[in-house]
Amino acid sequence: MESADIIELKHSHNVNLGDISPSHRVAIVGAGCGDVELLTLKAARLISSADALIYDSLVSEDILDLASNECEMHFAGKRCGMPSAKQDDINQLLLACAKRGLKVVRLKGGDPNVFGRGCEEAMFLAKQGIASQFIPGVTAALGCAASAGIPLTHRGVARSVTLVTGTVIDDSCQTGVGWQALLTAQSTLVFYMGKELAAHIAHGLLTAGASIKLPMVFISSGARVEQKLSFATLGTMAEVASQLHVSGPTLMIVGEVVSVGQELAQLINQVECSKNNGISSDKDMSESA
C-alpha cells in the first residue's frame, strides 16, 4: 500500500478524522514502528492535513510523505547517542507554531507516551494556554514482537509484560532491589534503547536470580524491511550485543516467550517447506506425464 492510498481511505460514517479540533491546536501523534501500514487512519489524516510537522528521527520517509507540499517540516532528532534538538527548544517550537494559528502535528516514533515525552510536551503547552490531543501509535514492544513472531504473553509462560527504558538504570537497580522487582513471576521484559547497556542489564538480572539460560533476542529495525533478529541467552547477551553493529534502533525482549516464538518460526518454516515440496512434486509429475 502506497502512502497516498492511506489518505484516500474513507471512514464509513463520514466522520472527518483529518482535522485537528479547533480547541486542540496541537496533535501529539504516534507514528508507530516505521511501516506506514501500521499507522492509524486518524494519524495518517492528521499528518496529511497538518500545516506544521515536528518529527523525530525514527519516523520513516513513507510516513513523512503523507504531509502536503505546503506543510512546514521541522526535524527534531531525538535519537539516542545522536545530535538532537533540546527538549526546551522543541517545546518552544511547538508553542510558536501553535500561536501562529497553524495545525500542528508533533510526530513521534512508536507511541508518544511510551518513553516518548508526549505528556511532557502536552503539559508545557497547557501551561501556555494551548490544548493538545494524543493519537496513539503502535509502540516498539508490540510492533517488533509481532514482526518477529514473538508473543509478549503466552499461556503458562508469561502472564505479564514490563516495558523498561534501557538508557537509565537507577539506584534501586544498582542495589539489586530494582532487578528483583523486574523478575516478577512469569513476566516478559522488554528493554527500549538498552543495547549499549546489555552487559549491565544481564549482570543485574543474573545477580537477582534469573537463569543464565533465559532466552532473549535483539530486534534491530523492527517492523521494517531491514529488520534483524539476534538471539541469545542472558549468559551470552553481552557478547552478542558487542558484536551487533546496526544503524537502526534495537529493542531487547527477555523471557521464555522468545523460545515460544522460535518454536513457532520452526513450525511455520516446516509448513512452507512442505508446501514448496508439494508444488515441486506436482510439477515433476506433470512433466513426466
Side-chain angles (χ1 to χ4, degrees), residues 57-94:
S57 61
L58 293 179
V59 179
S60 68
E61 289 296 328
D62 285 344
I63 292 176
L64 294 177
D65 285 344
L66 293 172
S68 69
N69 293 332
E70 293 75 29
C71 180
E72 295 182 9
M73 306 294 284
H74 301 277
F75 176 63
K78 307 305 291 182
R79 178 79 181 275
C80 180
M82 303 181 77
S84 299
K86 294 181 179 179
Q87 188 61 56
D88 288 344
D89 293 336
I90 295 174
N91 291 346
Q92 292 299 329
L93 178 59
L94 286 167

Side-chain angles (χ1 to χ4, degrees), residues 231-254:
F231 292 94
T233 64
L234 281 188
T236 61
M237 179 171 148
E239 180 182 357
V240 172
S242 67
Q243 298 175 356
L244 188 58
H245 303 291
V246 291
S247 58
T250 298
L251 188 86
M252 298 157 51
I253 299 179
V254 179

Side-chain angles (χ1 to χ4, degrees), residues 164-174 179 191 197 200-201:
V164 188
T165 173
T167 58
V168 179
I169 304 299
D170 61 23
D171 292 337
S172 63
C173 282
Q174 292 178 10
W179 294 118
F191 291 89
L197 289 173
H200 184 67
I201 292 171

Side-chain angles (χ1 to χ4, degrees), residues 87-186:
Q87 188 61 56
D88 288 344
D89 293 336
I90 295 174
N91 291 346
Q92 292 299 329
L93 178 59
L94 286 167
L95 179 61
C97 289
K99 283 188 172 181
R100 288 167 55 201
L102 303 178
K103 291 185 291 185
V104 183
V105 167
R106 173 67 171 110
L107 195 57
K108 297 172 174 285
D111 183 272
N113 284 319
V114 179
F115 306 124
R117 298 187 180 182
C119 197
E120 290 182 31
E121 295 174 355
M123 291 181 71
F124 168 82
L125 290 170
K127 291 176 182 178
Q128 308 302 317
I130 304 294
S132 60
Q133 59 180 317
F134 294 126
I135 308 301
V138 178
T139 187
L142 303 180
C144 293
S147 183
I150 297 173
L152 291 178
T153 63
H154 188 73
R155 186 167 60 172
V157 177
R159 302 179 62 181
S160 63
V161 181
T162 303
L163 308 183
V164 188
T165 173
T167 58
V168 179
I169 304 299
D170 61 23
D171 292 337
S172 63
C173 282
Q174 292 178 10
T175 60
V177 177
W179 294 118
Q180 291 176 356
L182 289 179
L183 289 176
T184 54
Q186 294 183 306

